[in-house]
Amino acid sequence: MKIQRFRPSHVRAARWFLIALFACELFAILWFALFGEQAQAQLQGWMGINDLAMHMIAFLIASTTAFIIWSPQQPALFLILAAGGIEIAQLFLPDRQPSLVDFTASGLGIVAGVITYLVWRRLGGPIILAPRRG
């Protein structure tokens, strides 16, 4: 398989773009999880999916983006802690209820992100931004 080389400036630009994208993804997850109950219900209706699928899709997208930027171990731990933190924070919000099932769905989304990233790497994804060690 031929490895395509990119200019360092292009890799840096792509990396910063993906970091900004990841920050937006995290913001959207937090907003929908903590404050956007009505918007979340509307989005679920529009997409034709339930709450658990929404958790899985959100964390699949965020984890895949994070794994492209960084080595998978750090963002996976961070995202699991974030998913747990969201559920704990919902204890203190009057209109929200924490759920172990939601946390599990988020975790499955992260696992799906790991699988997506590994398949992408195996297929020779065009840009590998995660630093290589060893």
Side-chain angles (χ1 to χ4, degrees):
M1 174 174 15
K2 184 179 178 184
I3 296 176
Q4 191 172 11
R5 300 287 181 204
F6 294 92
R7 290 183 176 170
S9 61
H10 293 162
V11 172
R12 277 192 302 276
R15 183 179 182 89
W16 281 109
F17 171 78
L18 288 172
I19 289 170
L21 178 64
F22 179 67
C24 290
E25 292 165 355
L26 284 181
F27 176 78
I29 288 170
L30 287 172
W31 188 81
F32 278 110
L34 300 178
F35 308 110
E37 186 174 12
Q38 184 178 359
Q40 181 180 357
Q42 289 174 341
L43 184 60
Q44 287 171 353
W46 177 73
M47 293 176 69
I49 60 174
N50 65 18
D51 181 50
L52 299 178
M54 182 72 85
H55 279 264
M56 288 181 67
I57 291 168
F59 278 89
L60 164 67
I61 293 168
S63 63
T64 301
T65 303
F67 299 155
I68 292 170
I69 302 167
W70 300 288
S71 299
Q73 298 87 345
Q74 293 92 356
L77 178 61
F78 170 77
L79 288 167
I80 287 290
L81 292 173
I86 287 169
E87 297 304 321
I88 291 169
Q90 288 179 351
L91 282 169
F92 304 101
L93 298 173
D95 297 334
R96 305 300 282 187
Q97 293 181 352
S99 167
L100 186 58
V101 175
D102 287 349
F103 175 73
T104 302
S106 299
L108 289 174
I110 296 167
V111 169
V114 169
I115 293 167
T116 302
Y117 171 75
L118 292 174
V119 168
W120 177 79
R121 289 269 318 251
R122 184 71 149 162
L123 295 175
I127 301 175
I128 305 293
L129 298 178
R132 296 203 180 247
R133 294 189 177 119

